[in-house]
Amino acid sequence: MKIKLIIFLIGFSLFGYSQKKTTKKAVTIKPKTEFVAELLSKMTLEEKIGQLNLPTSGDITTGAASSSNVAKNIEDGKVGGLFNIKSVQKIKEVQKIAVEKSRLKIPLLFGMDVIHGYETTFPIPLGLSCTWDMKLIERSAQIAAQEASADGINWTFSPMVDISRDPRWGRVSEGSGEDPFLGSQIAKAMVNGYQQNDLSKNNTILSCVKHFALYGAPDAGRDYNTVDMSRIKMYNDYFPPYKAAIDAGVGSVMASFNEIDGIPATGNKWLMTDVLRKQWGFNGFVVTDFTGIPEMIEHGMGDLQTVSALALNAGIEMDMVGEGFLTTLKKSLDEGKVSIEQIDNAARLILNAKYDLGLFHDPYKYCDEKRAKTEVFTKNHRAEARAISAQSLVLLKNNNQLLPLKKSGTVAVIGPLADAKENMAGTWSVATNMDKSISLIAGIKEVAGDATKVLYAKGSNLDYDAAFEEKATMFGKTLHRDSRTTEELLAEALKIANQSDVIVAALGESAEMSGESSSRTNLEIPQAQKDLLQALLKTGKPVILVLFTGRPLVLVQEHETVPAILNTWFAGSEAGASIADVLFGNENPSGKLTATFPRSVGQVPIYYNQKNTGRPLANKEGKFEKFRSNYIDERNEPLYPFGFGLSYTTFGYSNLKISSNKMNFNGKLNVTVDVTNTGNFDGKEVVQLYIRDLVGSVTRPLKELKGFQKVSIKKGEKRTVTFEISVEELKFYNSDLQFIAEPGAFQVFVGTDSSTDNKVDFVLIK
């Protein structure tokens, strides 16, 4: 017994924290490099490999942690972290096993998919990006970190920065759209929001940028499918947001499922070592996606031992769920297929992250039950979420100023998404308490006030096909399918529609119609809802389409027939209130699209910064021309371009000027434009600057976003907006993958969206 006590006391002096205390008081330990090196020197091979193992929480529940299978592995030093475990009480119980029962008492990481908020949920990332407001986006991540850390989480698998130009891919909802420049700004804002450049604070968490790399460009828009592109396209169009996250100091990176140049990303040494480590200088750790290592077996890369060695040799440090490292690395080491230096380095990087998070100073740093009770889903956080959500909504159409609505008369709210609080948070909202989310009907009743009579009918189910609806409403996001006939549902809807002054039609996708493994070939609103909408229009009442979606949809029929369309994405736990704020004019919509809306799924992939062809369409009316690059059955241009979004007011652009028509490589230019609020409401406008490089050593896009400013302008007011251009905005990767700018002629476009023709010219000279 005395021998055991002595061993314990030695462990206490080495690692500087007491197993008896779960206190807030941190103690002083050695500097990170020295501390981690000493710890590694005391670890067995099995314990080092154990740090590389990231299982899900499995059967751990409060009160039963010590008897679970995962807990036994933790006690044996075979687990480096856990994910998908929620609440301080559970996490504290599991952390105790690591720091009180394992030999070296190394604390665990606790991760979760905190994607767009924790219990206070913000708009889905695609919607959040439409705010074009980096301060708000950073603030949303900061609130998410505060709430998650208060509930025991210290690591988030976010941001997802994959560029996507194919709305068939369901995970377009989880990213920031199609543009590398805007995506890079958002990547930095999210990393800064989570980490605040100081992981020692108890209200920051480790960020994980994903999915490295190119995951948003799968063949046919089908999730997990093959990605194949040139390296020049990788570097110019798809890599920038990942690199921006690295430059912002992101602590971890998640590998993507897809292959790159014929080798899955999880085993791709060029990607994980040459690009990520050597070119970009990343010094954190890389984790696989869920079962990413064993999935390489199906790719045809070998058995579990082979693909596990492939992953480690490529530069993967942590194995999520696959247990290939745990079960095969010792054998591979014995056979010379991996080296002890690689295992040591992987363990070191994970231990470094734990040190940076302060877990060696205080393993219970994130286990303060007082914080959990006072900092999660607070009144202030909800108010901020409501305000941010309102700025993510995009007004697509508003004929005759139908919106905003008056707070009087009778409003009929009709549609399967009208009373669907479970769906308001959207996909990847794993910590959301869906019962506390605000539905559209609830938000309208609150905001419209007592002078407005609000009527409701479901009108239709999500889809005529019950089996399809079941697939589209997983994870507790039911729409409570109505057993009445189509005719009965429609009759009830028409009855209240005819009693109303205006109809709000709440239609579109359910939350899980987009997201992971939710690819679609049909990008239209489900037919049951289209039929309902057309019936409502035939009443002669003014109809406002409140569109719920996690992706760009094909809305040609709706655009042609519905007088007003408000695209709300999935606006988070406060969705109903924020949407109602916009509908009734408490907030003026200011969102702008970050992904192009096609006219037809046949146009996909579609994006604004495409390159020209040798046979471009000559006319601007979209008329067909034989032997030109166009379709015989559709126009070339989209329904709604990148950057598009209306306001209740109008903005006029004038007096576009450039400070000089020449610039050398060390110089700078100023571009100014006057923006005037010419309407009847105060409003916010996203002023967008695009550049075209007219002649290059490789073909260049027709336009590239290189600057934007979101400005508040009162009605009748004129604001002069100034942009600065330096050589950095003109650089690109050439065919030798050199990041350069080339002398020559450039055009600068400034306007309200990517379709603007308002331009000035300049020449870059040596």
Side-chain angles (χ1 to χ4, degrees):
M1 190 66 187
K2 289 182 180 179
I3 293 174
K4 290 182 180 179
L5 180 60
I6 292 170
I7 292 172
F8 165 72
L9 291 173
I10 292 171
F12 175 83
S13 64
L14 281 174
F15 303 112
Y17 49 78
S18 169
Q19 68 170 349
K20 295 180 181 179
K21 294 184 179 180
T22 60
T23 64
K24 308 138 198 154
K25 185 178 179 182
V27 294
T28 302
I29 59 176
K30 294 179 179 179
K32 178 169 66 176
T33 301
E34 184 180 354
F35 176 87
V36 171
E38 286 187 10
L39 179 53
L40 270 172
S41 71
K42 293 173 175 60
M43 295 171 72
T44 65
L45 175 63
E46 289 77 10
E47 287 167 335
K48 293 173 182 176
I49 293 173
Q51 286 299 301
L52 318 187
N53 183 34
L54 179 68
T56 188
S57 54
D59 56 357
I60 290 180
T61 56
T62 303
S66 60
S67 61
S68 71
N69 292 331
V70 174
K72 180 63 168 63
N73 279 341
I74 295 170
E75 190 173 340
D76 292 342
K78 295 180 179 179
V79 176
L82 282 176
F83 70 103
N84 285 350
I85 181 171
K86 185 176 184 284
S87 87
V88 165
Q89 188 178 2
K90 292 180 182 179
I91 288 171
K92 181 185 286 187
E93 188 175 353
V94 176
Q95 190 73 290
K96 278 185 177 181
I97 299 170
V99 301
E100 297 183 15
K101 293 186 178 181
S102 69
R103 187 178 77 89
L104 291 177
K105 302 173 173 45
I106 300 172
L108 300 172
L109 293 170
F110 290 95
M112 180 175 276
D113 284 290
V114 183
I115 305 299
H116 51 110
Y118 192 64
E119 287 195 14
T120 302
T121 311
F122 297 89
I124 58 171
L126 182 60
L128 196 60
S129 71
C130 292
T131 67
W132 292 62
D133 191 319
M134 299 308 109
K135 289 183 179 178
L136 291 185
I137 291 172
E138 179 175 336
R139 178 59 182 155
S140 74
Q142 188 178 11
I143 291 172
Q146 182 178 353
E147 292 196 359
S149 63
D151 216 18
I153 306 299
N154 52 41
W155 182 24
T156 177
F157 306 124
S158 176
M160 195 277 255
V161 303
D162 300 312
I163 295 296
S164 179
R165 293 158 173 183
D166 190 337
R168 294 174 300 180
W169 187 57
R171 296 193 86 167
V172 67
S173 62
E174 200 183 333
S176 297
E178 68 189 47
D179 184 70
F181 179 83
L182 179 61
S184 296
Q185 306 308 307
I186 294 172
K188 289 189 289 186
M190 293 294 287
V191 171
N192 290 337
Y194 290 131
Q195 298 188 168
Q196 291 292 296
N197 202 32
D198 188 355
L199 290 174
S200 68
K201 295 179 179 178
N202 70 351
N203 63 351
T204 61
I205 57 178
L206 190 73
S207 179
C208 182
V209 66
K210 64 184 186 184
H211 306 84
F212 193 60
L214 319 180
Y215 184 42
D219 284 357
R222 196 174 75 241
D223 210 356
Y224 318 123
N225 205 6
T226 299
V227 174
D228 192 9
M229 70 173 65
S230 67
R231 292 197 175 181
I232 194 170
K233 191 169 188 176
M234 293 182 200
Y235 277 83
N236 281 317
D237 295 355
Y238 284 81
F239 276 179
Y242 306 116
K243 186 176 186 300
I246 303 304
D247 292 342
V250 72
S252 60
V253 171
M254 181 180 289
S256 57
F257 286 120
N258 54 280
E259 66 175 63
I260 295 168
D261 286 347
I263 301 173
T266 306
N268 195 306
K269 187 173 183 178
W270 172 78
L271 184 70
M272 297 299 172
T273 298
D274 294 349
V275 175
L276 187 61
R277 301 284 183 189
K278 295 179 180 179
Q279 293 180 24
W280 295 355
F282 176 63
N283 57 13
F285 70 91
V286 181
V287 61
T288 75
D289 207 336
F290 198 104
T291 65
I293 288 176
E295 286 183 23
M296 287 196 287
I297 299 170
E298 292 290 347
H299 278 279
M301 303 303 291
D303 60 15
L304 184 60
Q305 181 185 355
T306 301
V307 297
S308 298
L310 182 67
L312 186 72
N313 288 326
I316 299 291
E317 279 81 44
M318 192 170 245
D319 176 7
M320 182 187 286
V321 178
E323 295 198 344
F325 283 177
L326 190 68
T327 59
T328 72
L329 282 190
K330 185 177 185 301
K331 182 179 180 183
S332 290
L333 180 64
D334 292 341
E335 295 174 356
K337 295 175 180 176
V338 299
S339 69
I340 188 61
E341 290 79 14
Q342 289 170 312
I343 294 172
D344 282 353
N345 182 62
R348 179 184 298 108
L349 291 174
I350 293 163
L351 295 172
N352 282 348
K354 294 179 178 183
Y355 187 102
D356 291 339
L357 284 166
L359 294 175
F360 289 112
H361 295 74
D362 178 7
Y364 303 105
K365 169 185 170 184
Y366 299 93
C367 295
D368 184 343
E369 293 183 4
K370 291 181 180 178
R371 285 191 65 209
K373 292 176 181 178
T374 59
E375 297 183 24
V376 178
F377 202 64
T378 67
K379 183 178 179 180
N380 287 341
H381 288 173
R382 293 178 62 191
E384 289 192 69
R386 180 171 176 169
I388 291 171
S389 297
Q391 294 205 48
S392 73
L393 311 186
V394 183
L395 184 62
L396 298 177
K397 187 178 179 183
N398 191 25
N399 277 8
N400 301 317
Q401 289 291 296
L402 179 54
L403 290 172
L405 295 175
K406 297 177 181 178
K407 296 180 181 179
S408 61
T410 302
V411 178
V413 185
I414 299 171
L417 278 303
D419 190 18
K421 62 182 178 180
E422 297 92 344
N423 282 255
M424 294 300 96
T427 189
W428 278 118
S429 49
V430 297
T432 302
N433 186 334
M434 291 181 287
D435 287 338
K436 294 181 180 178
S437 294
I438 300 174
S439 68
L440 177 61
I441 187 70
I444 286 177
K445 286 180 177 179
E446 175 203 330
V447 173
D450 295 338
T452 307
K453 185 177 182 180
V454 180
L455 306 176
Y456 162 73
K458 189 168 187 177
S460 78
N461 285 306
L462 179 76
D463 193 88
Y464 287 128
D465 185 348
F468 176 86
E469 182 166 327
E470 186 175 357
K471 289 186 289 186
T473 55
M474 300 173 69
F475 310 123
K477 293 171 183 172
T478 178
L479 287 173
H480 306 285
R481 187 171 181 84
D482 201 304
S483 61
R484 288 177 290 175
T485 66
T486 299
E487 293 75 18
E488 288 172 328
L489 287 167
L490 181 58
E492 181 188 48
L494 293 177
K495 181 179 179 180
I496 73 157
N498 285 315
Q499 299 171 28
S500 69
D501 299 307
V502 64
I503 300 168
V504 174
L507 310 176
E509 294 189 313
S510 58
E512 295 303 326
M513 281 177 70
S514 58
E516 185 168 358
S517 190
S518 293
S519 299
R520 293 183 64 191
T521 60
N522 180 352
L523 296 180
E524 297 189 9
I525 294 171
Q527 191 62 46
Q529 298 178 65
K530 290 173 74 74
D531 291 344
L532 169 63
L533 181 59
Q534 292 306 307
L536 296 176
L537 289 166
K538 288 177 181 177
T539 65
K541 304 285 185 175
V543 176
I544 298 150
L545 172 57
V546 172
L547 180 68
F548 293 89
T549 180
R551 53 160 56 86
L553 294 178
V554 172
L555 300 169
V556 174
Q557 183 184 34
E558 291 74 20
H559 179 76
E560 292 174 350
T561 59
V562 182
I565 304 174
L566 181 66
N567 190 32
T568 66
W569 311 108
F570 291 97
S573 51
E574 306 301 305
S578 62
I579 295 168
D581 283 337
V582 171
L583 289 175
F584 288 94
N586 292 356
E587 297 279 352
N588 191 346
S590 60
K592 299 275 190 174
L593 297 179
T594 58
T596 300
F597 274 50
R599 298 179 62 86
S600 164
V601 71
Q603 294 177 308
V604 171
I606 186 169
Y607 47 97
Y608 86 91
N609 51 347
Q610 60 188 298
K611 295 182 177 182
N612 217 349
T613 77
R615 295 186 177 186
L617 188 63
N619 71 84
K620 294 184 178 180
E621 293 75 38
K623 296 177 181 178
F624 173 73
E625 295 181 24
K626 193 66 174 176
F627 305 118
R628 290 287 177 176
S629 181
N630 54 186
Y631 304 98
I632 64 172
D633 60 348
E634 185 57 88
R635 300 169 67 105
N636 279 11
E637 69 271 19
L639 182 62
Y640 303 119
F642 175 87
F644 177 80
L646 302 176
S647 169
Y648 292 155
T649 192
T650 52
F651 297 99
Y653 284 72
S654 62
N655 203 27
L656 177 62
K657 293 180 180 179
I658 192 164
S659 58
S660 175
N661 60 7
K662 293 181 181 179
M663 183 180 80
N664 61 38
F665 275 66
N666 296 319
K668 293 181 180 180
L669 295 176
N670 285 333
V671 176
T672 59
V673 66
D674 292 338
V675 184
T676 305
N677 185 334
T678 56
N680 297 319
F681 297 85
D682 297 344
K684 295 179 180 178
E685 169 72 340
V686 180
V687 184
Q688 302 162 41
L689 180 141
Y690 299 85
I691 294 179
R692 182 179 183 185
D693 186 349
L694 290 171
V695 179
S697 59
V698 296
T699 56
R700 306 288 292 120
L702 290 170
K703 285 178 184 173
E704 295 178 285
L705 181 71
K706 291 298 180 179
F708 59 89
Q709 293 183 39
K710 191 167 189 176
V711 292
S712 297
I713 310 177
K714 295 184 180 298
K715 63 179 180 178
E717 181 187 6
K718 180 173 70 176
R719 290 279 301 273
T720 298
V721 178
T722 301
F723 294 95
E724 185 178 84
I725 297 175
S726 71
V727 73
E728 292 304 313
E729 283 73 51
L730 310 181
K731 288 183 176 180
F732 64 96
Y733 287 92
N734 65 12
S735 56
D736 295 321
L737 299 183
Q738 298 170 323
F739 192 53
I740 61 166
E742 296 176 340
F746 293 83
Q747 292 177 332
V748 180
F749 301 81
V750 179
T752 188
D753 61 52
S754 61
S755 68
T756 181
D757 289 325
N758 191 25
K759 68 179 185 294
V760 291
D761 304 291
F762 75 94
V763 176
L764 178 66
I765 57 175
K766 284 191 174 180

